[in-house]
Amino acid sequence: MKKTNYKPNKDHEYLARLQAYYAEHRVIPSYAHLMEILGFASKSAIKKVLERLEAAGMLERTPYGDWAPTDLFFERAIANHPVPAGTPVPVSDEPCEKVMLDRFLIEKPSQTVLVRVKGDSMINAGIHHGDLAVVERCCHANPGDLVVAIVDDEFTLKTLGRDQEGFHLIPANPHYPIIRPQGKLEIFGVVVGLVRKYP
Amino acid sequence: MKKTNYKPNKDHEYLARLQAYYAEHRVIPSYAHLMEILGFASKSAIKKVLERLEAAGMLERTPYGDWAPTDLFFERAIANHPVPAGTPVPVSDEPCEKVMLDRFLIEKPSQTVLVRVKGDSMINAGIHHGDLAVVERCCHANPGDLVVAIVDDEFTLKTLGRDQEGFHLIPANPHYPIIRPQGKLEIFGVVVGLVRKYP
DNA sequence: TATGATAGAGAACGAATGTTCTTTAGTCAA
DNA sequence: TTGACTAAAGAACATTCGTTCTCTATCATA
């Protein structure tokens, strides 16, 4: 009977401690330090643990050979999105330590900017006045993309459209007109995310 | 004339590259590897760069001495009104507001959880299927609050309402009915934020 | 009870790491 | 030109790193 090396009971705890350390310091420590953190007395044990976590998809190695967390590593924090079905009250799981919305939303930090949404011209796309748009300042956009354009020296968030007359900006609100640029259409960036804060 | 060692021009680029690498691998590499990434030919140069970034508040050291990013490291600029008027390719920034999304959205980390939104019952409130709701698991909610309730062992995101018949859950979609709990209404938490990722 | 597999300890070792020091090259002001 | 300052290169070095190997204790299964 062949089975995986991943021992849920123990390794879950090791993973939890690693996640806790990473949540605090945003770094994966060396084997020697992990001995303290995980409570081992030998580096070889650490290596085996990390390799099991790697096999479980929680860790990977960078091109330089360093250990790095994978998306799976963050899944618990990001979404208890496997909605607990059975449990009525004791849904209370551990709080997401320090979540990683930044990492989740921003893939290219140096090219990413936040833009405050003004007006309700995109309300049917679920984009409200005051929302923060996560904008990636990339070279060019494709029709259908949500883009931030510069019109009359103002940011405008619209859907980029194209027809025989050329590029244009499509609002998501019947009370607003399609914008057809008189000159060239200046695209500031592509919207890759949206953030809203209540109240 | 005493001034800071932090050279904006160059160090900004080094920081950007470090951020890009970290965004991809979630790890800060060793000096030797940073030589490749930042384009240096000596480790001592790397050390000085990192120390300048530390002085600028972008990096810190863990208790074990490893380099680690700080909150500042993850901050993004909000390009609000500042519409680059003259500049055709509005490059970069003037003193502008900066935000770390985690901090911005999550004020009480230990009580905050992310819940994936299912269905389109709140579509008129700009909350779509697949969005992430930032939920604060506080004691009790007030009428008018966006809440996550537990109905039939499932999370449900609705507006909390109250009339003479008691508390109930109001969708933001005319095709869905108001939910009036048969027993007690179980509130999981209050929605304090929303996150969406495109595409 | 015997067996095989596994988790972990422990030691050894070459390679890689971070630090420190010295040297070189470039910049700016007087 | 000179002199002060600084970024970066380069070398030297003790420390630490990750790997590999052997050995022990534990445990489930046959």
Side-chain angles (χ1 to χ4, degrees):
Chain A
M1 189 202 298
K2 206 64 187 305
K3 55 176 187 171
T4 183
N5 288 327
Y6 185 70
K7 278 282 180 65
N9 296 334
K10 280 305 199 84
D11 284 348
H12 262 60
E13 180 176 335
Y14 301 150
L15 174 62
R17 292 206 201 167
L18 223 193
Q19 285 171 325
Y21 185 92
Y22 189 93
E24 189 173 354
H25 296 109
R26 305 187 184 95
V27 155
I28 292 189
S30 70
Y31 286 16
H33 301 146
L34 280 171
M35 285 168 58
E36 284 187 33
I37 295 166
L38 302 187
F40 284 90
S42 74
K43 287 188 289 181
S44 55
I46 297 293
K47 196 195 183 197
K48 288 177 187 173
V49 169
L50 295 191
E51 282 171 345
R52 267 177 275 143
L53 292 178
E54 181 184 27
M58 297 292 176
L59 296 176
E60 63 186 358
R61 286 184 190 261
T62 70
Y64 292 120
D66 301 321
W67 286 108
T70 64
D71 287 346
L72 245 191
F73 186 88
F74 297 104
E75 188 185 84
R76 174 186 58 123
I78 213 204
N80 312 328
H81 105 321
V83 181
T87 45
V89 182
V91 188
S92 61
D93 30 272
E94 314 164 26
C96 43
E97 329 252 352
K98 289 185 178 180
V99 201
M100 19 70 61
L101 296 175
D102 296 274
R103 300 177 194 65
F104 175 66
L105 282 173
I106 299 175
E107 293 176 356
K108 301 175 184 171
S110 63
Q111 302 166 42
T112 302
V113 165
L114 303 177
V115 174
R116 180 86 58 182
V117 175
K118 288 182 176 182
D120 57 352
S121 68
M122 294 298 283
I123 198 146
N124 286 346
I127 300 174
H128 291 191
H129 179 80
D131 292 355
L132 278 179
V134 182
V135 180
E136 212 166 82
R137 307 203 48 191
C138 67
C139 35
H140 259 302
N142 299 315
D145 285 349
L146 270 178
V147 299
V148 171
I150 300 179
V151 177
D152 294 333
D153 288 344
E154 287 255 343
F155 285 144
T156 308
L157 200 165
K158 297 283 182 298
T159 300
L160 183 64
R162 180 175 204 181
D163 56 15
Q164 53 271 42
E165 293 183 47
F167 286 104
H168 50 275
L169 300 172
I170 311 171
N173 183 333
H175 299 107
Y176 286 75
I178 288 181
I179 299 175
R180 293 187 180 274
Q182 59 279 44
K184 69 176 191 295
L185 179 58
E186 199 170 345
I187 301 291
F188 180 79
V190 174
V191 177
V192 297
L194 189 81
V195 172
R196 183 182 306 157
K197 192 178 183 183
Y198 297 104
Chain B
M1 187 204 299
K2 205 65 189 299
K3 54 174 190 173
T4 183
N5 288 327
Y6 185 72
K7 281 281 181 64
N9 296 334
K10 281 302 199 83
D11 284 348
H12 261 60
E13 180 176 333
Y14 301 150
L15 175 61
R17 292 208 202 163
L18 222 194
Q19 286 171 326
Y21 185 91
Y22 189 93
E24 188 174 354
H25 296 109
R26 304 189 181 97
V27 154
I28 293 191
S30 70
Y31 287 15
H33 301 146
L34 280 171
M35 285 168 56
E36 284 188 33
I37 295 165
L38 302 188
F40 284 90
S42 74
K43 287 188 288 181
S44 54
I46 296 292
K47 197 196 182 197
K48 289 175 186 169
V49 169
L50 296 190
E51 282 170 347
R52 266 177 275 143
L53 293 178
E54 180 185 27
M58 297 292 175
L59 296 176
E60 64 186 359
R61 286 183 189 262
T62 70
Y64 292 119
D66 300 321
W67 287 108
T70 64
D71 287 350
L72 248 189
F73 187 88
F74 297 101
E75 279 192 347
R76 294 291 107 215
I78 297 186
N80 355 342
H81 61 87
V83 187
T87 46
V89 189
V91 192
S92 62
D93 25 357
E94 286 305 305
C96 54
E97 194 182 348
K98 291 202 166 188
V99 158
M100 181 189 181
L101 294 179
D102 286 340
R103 292 269 172 290
F104 175 67
L105 284 173
I106 301 175
E107 294 176 358
K108 302 174 184 172
S110 62
Q111 304 166 39
T112 304
V113 164
L114 300 179
V115 175
R116 180 84 61 179
V117 174
K118 289 183 175 179
D120 58 351
S121 68
M122 295 298 285
I123 199 150
N124 285 347
I127 300 174
H128 291 191
H129 179 80
D131 291 354
L132 281 177
V134 183
V135 180
E136 209 167 86
R137 307 202 50 188
C138 67
C139 33
H140 258 302
N142 299 314
D145 284 350
L146 269 178
V147 299
V148 170
I150 300 178
V151 177
D152 296 333
D153 288 343
E154 287 253 342
F155 284 143
T156 307
L157 200 166
K158 297 283 184 298
T159 300
L160 183 64
R162 180 174 204 181
D163 56 16
Q164 54 271 42
E165 292 183 47
F167 285 104
H168 50 274
L169 300 172
I170 311 171
N173 184 333
H175 299 109
Y176 286 75
I178 287 181
I179 299 175
R180 294 185 179 274
Q182 58 280 45
K184 68 176 192 297
L185 179 57
E186 199 169 348
I187 300 293
F188 180 79
V190 175
V191 178
V192 297
L194 189 81
V195 172
R196 183 182 306 155
K197 192 176 184 184
Y198 298 103

